[in-house]
Amino acid sequence: MADLIVLTDRGLYCEAGDFFIDAWRPVHRTFVTHGHSDHAHAGMGEYWCTRAGEDILRWRLGAQDFRVLDYGEVRRFGGVKVSLHPAGHVLGSAQVRVERDDEVWVFTGDFKRQPDPTCAPFEVVRCDVFICEATFAFPVYAWPDTRDEVTRILQWREQCEAQGKAALVYAYSLGKAQRILAELNGRVNGTVLLHGAMARGVEVYRSAGIDMASTELVADLPASTDYAGRLILAPPSAQNSAWTRRFRSFEQGLASGWMQLRGNRRRRNLQRGFVISDHADWGALITTIRDSGARRVLATHGNTDALIPYLESELGLVAERLRTEYGDEEDAPDAPEDARDPGAIP
């Protein structure tokens, strides 16, 4: 029997249901797993998404023909049944489950297993074929507790205040920034200052009922403002921009899974790195593949040099690389050689 989902030059395609998933070129109908720019593109016909993710897609894509499903709701398309299930990545993110007769395929989109107060937790979905991301598919990546990393942010802010400096944290404007603000809620004194690019996303999350620390836009403050000791969130693209000059004296940190490796922090000229990721680390990736019960795994969206041999030799699975065009919202550098040591597999 032919594969239920295949790779095309426009995205992942299910011929039996006549739809795409996270298409990257214009198509008549696509499911969208979440709102990051490598998965959600303008110019499609129908956009199928979760109810929780619709407002995010409206923010990112403007007015489109959105069709929504609740998590777990089943809809028939041609000869298949489709449902969306929580991916735990960002608000409204989804895995796509496709069923034909007695065969089930699941595409995870981006996902994580760590607790996140801003979105529904990842749901294990049993399947025969599992298409999963492999963004951090090296054994060296093992995430610390996010609350501990946020404690480090607060301690760093206090140190900056003692030195008369601002503490500027770079974080992706969809998902990461809101997750940090939710973890800071009730733990930070005063308001957290935001770059303007963060404003709409924070507003969407608040409208969805997500509790976060109080915020204020830097742009709304007078030019005479003293930023010493202030905690500021901005997208990574703001680093080295003219926007940062108003803070006069400041230190810079980045919240990203890539901060697990110190070399990445040095290369980006950062004083601090905080290991906070919205993707699965190596242990969570392997656990999830086991939990899925899949006999075949197609890995995409990252480097699979360590993952595929491990799945074949240690788990006895059929594993292949799927060369999609998904990128990385965490601005991934090349994985260093020391990250590929299979001897470090937990």
Side-chain angles (χ1 to χ4, degrees):
M1 183 176 292
D3 282 352
L4 190 53
I5 297 173
V6 298
L7 178 64
T8 74
D9 62 354
R10 291 172 288 173
L12 299 175
Y13 180 59
C14 175
E15 182 178 8
D18 192 23
F19 61 80
F20 288 79
I21 303 174
D22 286 349
W24 50 79
R25 292 191 179 87
V27 298
H28 66 291
R29 177 187 298 133
T30 187
F31 281 83
V32 183
T33 60
H34 64 284
H36 283 142
S37 58
D38 55 330
H39 291 259
H41 299 268
M44 309 296 169
E46 299 173 8
Y47 289 80
W48 288 80
C49 62
T50 66
R51 192 172 302 281
E54 181 183 8
D55 284 346
I56 289 177
L57 292 180
R58 288 188 189 283
W59 160 40
R60 308 286 283 189
L61 302 177
Q64 304 288 346
D65 183 6
F66 294 114
R67 315 288 179 95
V68 300
L69 293 177
D70 290 316
Y71 285 129
E73 180 181 351
V74 178
R75 184 69 60 94
R76 178 170 287 279
F77 290 83
V80 302
K81 291 188 287 187
V82 183
S83 55
L84 302 177
H85 302 266
H89 179 55
V90 297
L91 180 64
S93 60
Q95 305 172 78
V96 182
R97 180 186 187 274
V98 183
E99 178 181 353
R100 177 180 60 186
D101 300 327
D102 57 353
E103 180 181 27
V104 175
W105 286 52
V106 168
F107 174 53
T108 64
D110 293 346
F111 76 97
K112 70 173 179 292
R113 302 294 295 268
Q114 278 191 311
D116 182 341
T118 70
C119 63
F122 180 89
E123 176 185 336
V124 173
V125 183
R126 302 280 291 181
C127 61
D128 300 294
V129 181
F130 195 55
I131 306 175
C132 66
E133 64 145 319
T135 304
F136 290 99
F138 288 102
V140 72
Y141 293 111
W143 307 147
D145 189 299
T146 302
R147 284 188 63 81
D148 293 340
E149 290 300 281
V150 170
T151 298
R152 290 183 58 231
I153 291 176
L154 293 168
Q155 293 170 341
W156 172 56
R157 187 210 65 78
E158 292 176 357
Q159 293 168 9
C160 286
E161 183 176 29
Q163 299 169 13
K165 298 178 179 177
L168 179 53
V169 179
Y170 299 115
Y172 198 70
S173 59
L174 167 56
K176 189 72 62 62
Q178 293 79 20
R179 186 180 177 194
I180 292 172
L181 288 170
E183 295 285 1
L184 285 170
N185 191 29
R187 301 182 64 191
V188 63
N189 294 325
T191 57
V192 178
L193 301 183
L194 299 180
H195 185 282
M198 303 283 190
R200 179 58 183 147
V202 170
E203 180 182 332
V204 170
Y205 270 63
R206 289 198 198 283
S207 297
I210 306 301
D211 292 327
M212 294 179 285
S214 59
T215 56
E216 200 172 2
L217 287 178
V218 169
D220 291 340
L221 300 180
S224 59
T225 299
D226 179 5
Y227 291 97
R230 301 303 301 268
L231 181 60
I232 305 161
L233 285 182
S237 58
Q239 187 177 13
N240 301 321
S241 72
W243 180 82
T244 63
R245 293 175 189 164
R246 72 192 70 196
F247 306 126
R248 298 182 184 88
S249 182
F250 61 94
E251 291 195 359
Q252 303 173 102
L254 174 65
S256 168
W258 302 112
M259 294 297 98
Q260 182 99 66
L261 304 178
R262 290 189 176 185
N264 291 334
R265 190 185 75 193
R266 288 195 302 271
R267 279 190 285 275
R268 298 191 61 146
N269 194 29
L270 300 162
Q271 285 75 45
R272 298 298 174 102
F274 303 102
V275 185
I276 301 174
S277 177
D278 287 327
H279 295 265
D281 63 9
W282 172 265
L285 181 59
I286 299 303
T287 297
T288 303
I289 289 171
R290 283 190 172 119
D291 290 347
S292 75
R295 64 181 187 277
R296 180 182 173 200
V297 175
L298 305 177
T300 183
H301 198 171
N303 191 308
T304 60
D305 289 356
L307 179 64
I308 288 178
Y310 181 82
L311 296 179
E312 292 174 333
S313 64
E314 301 299 323
L315 301 189
L317 301 177
V318 175
E320 307 158 45
R321 180 177 181 182
L322 198 61
R323 297 180 183 275
T324 63
E325 295 191 9
Y326 306 130
D328 176 24
E329 75 281 359
E330 297 205 32
D331 193 16
D334 292 335
E337 291 301 318
D338 61 353
R340 307 181 186 196
D341 176 11
I345 293 173

